[in-house]
Amino acid sequence: QQPVQSPQAVILREGEDAVINCSSSKALYSVHWYRQKHGEAPVFLMILLKGGEQMRHEKISASFNEKKQQSSLYLTASQLSYSGTYFCGTIHGSSNTGKLIFGQGTTLQVKP
Amino acid sequence: DTGVSQNPRHKITKRGQNVTFRCDPISEHNRLYWYRQTLGQGPEFLTYFQNEAQLEKSRLLSDRFSAERPKGSFSTLEIQRTEQGDSAMYLCASSLYEGVGLYTFGSGTRLTVV
């Protein structure tokens, strides 16, 4: 039931792009993306709902393929502040009635 | 509203002792969740409440763990007879049942069992 994230780790230079994937074996109602820095709480990035909506937040965007039960997070022109661990969380089913189940995380390191 | 508040931030306890953590959610949020996170892992679901009702408890949670949300506001998580394997970050989050279910996390309580 836990979503699977790939890759497990990414190392980038400033200005490079990255894609983080999240896939589930069960039908999804929504996918939530969070970033967590060491020793801190997860910080909300965005939510994607059924319907394939693509959302954008500054240089971070994401997509949700409902049929494939997959979501991807796109980090464009990465900045040093993007470093951290990215988690996708999924809510299964047909409505917002369940709890978030998190993937194992993708560690992103952006170097100068 | 200042967000989700958790106390204490850090707790060191001896094995076998009981510990209690507190979470104060965003005031208008009717849902409250507890997660546990160990190093290098994603947050692992423990239990959640809608108002004062505990709707689900993870099967991974032993009988030594109990959570309450007596008046549908703050919540407490108690661990009895702590073990070294209980050492982790305990995260609380809250959300609204209505809408898209945006979670807001607290800063967590880091438990170290020695």
Side-chain angles (χ1 to χ4, degrees):
Chain A
Q1 191 171 348
Q2 180 184 34
V4 177
Q5 290 185 232
S6 63
Q8 286 191 324
V10 183
I11 300 176
L12 297 174
R13 292 284 179 192
E14 253 186 308
E16 292 182 339
D17 302 339
V19 180
I20 301 172
N21 301 303
C22 174
S23 64
S24 173
S25 59
K26 298 181 69 172
L28 297 175
Y29 172 76
S30 63
V31 179
H32 303 218
W33 286 96
Y34 287 82
R35 178 171 58 212
Q36 185 177 33
K37 295 191 183 273
H38 184 68
E40 300 178 8
V43 173
F44 169 76
L45 293 176
M46 60 183 66
I47 290 177
L48 299 107
L49 304 176
K50 284 172 60 170
E53 294 179 43
Q54 185 173 44
M55 299 183 62
R56 189 169 190 87
H57 174 71
E58 295 180 348
K59 294 180 181 177
I60 299 175
S61 62
S63 63
F64 179 21
N65 187 320
E66 191 181 330
K67 272 189 177 179
K68 293 185 177 180
Q69 295 159 187
Q70 291 175 348
S71 177
S72 295
L73 188 72
Y74 306 93
L75 302 162
T76 306
S78 58
Q79 305 169 9
L80 294 176
S81 62
Y82 287 4
S83 294
T85 302
Y86 290 76
F87 293 101
C88 69
T90 54
I91 293 181
H92 300 116
S94 57
S95 64
N96 175 32
T97 56
K99 75 278 186 185
L100 270 179
I101 302 296
F102 287 92
Q104 79 279 20
T106 296
T107 301
L108 177 70
Q109 185 180 4
V110 181
K111 295 185 172 181
Chain B
D1 200 335
T2 56
V4 179
S5 175
Q6 289 189 247
N7 288 288
R9 290 295 306 275
H10 304 276
K11 178 72 177 179
I12 299 174
T13 190
K14 290 184 178 179
R15 190 174 51 184
Q17 298 293 305
N18 299 344
V19 293
T20 300
F21 310 140
R22 177 178 169 126
C23 172
D24 288 88
I26 292 174
S27 56
E28 60 266 27
H29 284 183
N30 42 26
R31 283 200 163 183
L32 186 147
Y33 311 82
W34 285 99
Y35 286 81
R36 175 173 62 191
Q37 187 177 28
T38 53
L39 198 62
Q41 300 296 316
E44 175 189 29
F45 170 76
L46 294 180
T47 188
Y48 83 99
F49 295 83
Q50 183 161 313
N51 299 313
E52 64 275 8
Q54 187 173 19
L55 296 188
E56 188 173 343
K57 188 175 174 181
S58 170
R59 287 171 292 176
L60 301 173
L61 218 56
S62 77
D63 292 340
R64 296 184 296 106
F65 287 72
S66 62
E68 294 184 339
R69 194 182 183 197
K71 296 182 180 178
S73 56
F74 73 92
S75 175
T76 57
L77 177 69
E78 182 183 17
I79 308 174
Q80 296 181 328
R81 304 180 303 281
T82 52
E83 302 172 356
Q84 285 191 322
D86 297 331
S87 295
M89 174 77 87
Y90 289 83
L91 293 166
C92 174
S94 68
S95 73
L96 279 172
Y97 172 73
E98 300 80 13
V100 300
L102 170 61
Y103 281 37
T104 301
F105 279 89
S107 298
T109 294
R110 180 164 296 284
L111 173 67
T112 302
V113 182
V114 297

